């Protein structure tokens, strides 16, 4: 979509409001504004670039901190007057050193973040990592661990031990994510499957 296709009459300043969302965790990270030059620069370099209303100049997020926002996808809204950018943050987004400029819970979206970490462990296979050891053992052993953790969760549920149940389900989810990675199945693929069933 070209910048000229956006309807900017609502803002009065010719700037396009841009919401940035973490593509992995789906956490909303920040709000900024783009003019045509910032929009084109974002498309060109693949890093989120804004128009700084205070400094009156282009500003690529992370150019001083190193905490860039690498663009994954860009979505205009239904009225073509706002842009949603999904991105991969390379560190804290807010100047306060927090993940987001919005004070939502830091644990939000952590399952997706964990899936991303597991994927990187699979790709890099760092020595000493428990996840690496699981990948070395292969699908049968990983599946066995999923079964064990499932049984332990069932036992705690039947016993009515809520805190231990949460702990064991945490183990189950982690090992299931490892098994999904080993099988080449993403959270997005799982969501699509569940969405099809819901329809």
């Amino acid at each position: 979509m070209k910048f000229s296709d956006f309807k900017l009459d609502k803002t009065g300043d010719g700037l396009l409001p841009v919401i940035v969302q973490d593509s992995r965790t789906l956490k909303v990270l920040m709000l900024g504004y783009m003019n045509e030059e910032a929009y084109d620069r974002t498309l060109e370099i693949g890093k989120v670039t804004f128009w700084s209303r205070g400094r009156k100049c282009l500003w690529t997020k992370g150019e001083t901190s190193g905490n860039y926002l690498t663009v994954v996808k860009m979505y205009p809204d239904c009225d073509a007057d706002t842009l949603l950018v999904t991105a991969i943050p390379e560190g804290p987004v807010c100047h306060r050193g927090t993940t987001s400029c919005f004070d939502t819970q830091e644990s939000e979206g952590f399952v997706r973040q964990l899936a991303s970490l597991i994927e990187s462990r699979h790709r890099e296979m760092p020595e000493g990592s428990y996840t690496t050891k699981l990948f070395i053992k292969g699908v049968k052993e990983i599946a066995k661990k999923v079964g064990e953790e499932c049984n332990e969760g069932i036992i705690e549920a039947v016993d009515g031990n809520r805190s231990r149940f949460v702990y064991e389900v945490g183990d189950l989810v982690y090992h299931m994510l490892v098994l999904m990675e080993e099988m080449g199945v993403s959270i997005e693929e799982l969501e699509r499957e569940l969405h099809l069933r819901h329809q």
Side-chain angles (χ1 to χ4, degrees):
M1 186 171 184
K2 295 182 296 185
F3 190 81
S4 58
D5 293 330
F6 287 99
K7 301 172 184 174
L8 305 179
D9 52 318
K10 291 181 182 177
T11 62
D13 53 11
L15 295 177
L16 177 67
V18 179
I19 300 164
V20 183
Q21 179 184 39
D22 189 315
S23 67
R24 298 167 300 185
T25 66
L26 305 185
K27 183 186 285 289
V28 175
L29 301 175
M30 67 177 296
L31 168 71
Y33 296 87
M34 289 181 183
N35 61 6
E36 186 168 6
E37 190 180 0
Y39 182 81
D40 291 343
R41 180 74 173 154
T42 298
L43 293 176
E44 178 188 347
I45 67 173
K47 307 287 185 189
V48 178
T49 301
F50 297 110
W51 173 256
S52 172
R53 294 176 298 169
R55 299 194 306 268
K56 305 295 183 190
C57 63
L58 286 185
W59 164 55
T60 299
K61 175 67 177 166
E63 61 190 7
T64 54
S65 66
N67 298 332
Y68 292 100
L69 293 167
T70 301
V71 175
V72 176
K73 290 185 180 176
M74 298 169 68
Y75 304 92
D77 78 337
C78 58
D79 295 321
D81 60 7
T82 305
L83 183 66
L84 173 65
V85 176
T86 60
I88 299 172
E90 299 177 26
V93 172
C94 185
H95 68 280
R96 302 171 300 173
T98 54
T99 302
S100 169
C101 293
F102 300 96
D103 291 325
T104 55
Q105 293 183 9
E106 288 297 308
S107 60
E108 287 181 358
F110 182 73
V111 171
R112 285 174 172 270
Q113 189 175 333
L114 179 58
S116 179
L117 177 63
I118 289 168
E119 186 273 332
S120 70
R121 290 285 192 269
H122 195 198
R123 186 176 62 252
E124 298 164 9
M125 298 292 278
E127 289 186 25
S129 163
Y130 174 68
T131 307
T132 298
K133 291 175 184 176
L134 287 173
F135 285 128
I136 290 171
K137 289 179 180 178
V139 67
K140 287 184 180 179
E141 286 301 314
I142 299 170
K144 182 179 174 184
K145 284 297 295 181
V146 169
E148 290 172 5
E149 300 302 343
C150 184
N151 286 335
E152 290 171 9
I154 290 169
I155 290 168
E156 299 301 343
V158 170
D159 288 348
N161 190 338
R162 188 179 184 280
S163 62
R164 287 297 305 171
F165 174 73
V166 170
Y167 182 87
E168 297 300 345
V169 169
D171 281 349
L172 173 60
V173 169
Y174 160 75
H175 286 92
M176 182 59 76
L177 289 172
V178 174
L179 184 58
M180 286 170 61
E181 170 64 24
E182 178 71 11
M183 295 297 296
V185 176
S186 67
I187 288 181
E188 291 78 12
E189 188 175 347
L190 181 60
E191 286 177 335
R192 285 195 298 272
E193 173 64 26
L194 294 172
H195 180 67
L196 285 171
R197 294 184 192 186
H198 178 70
Q199 288 179 322

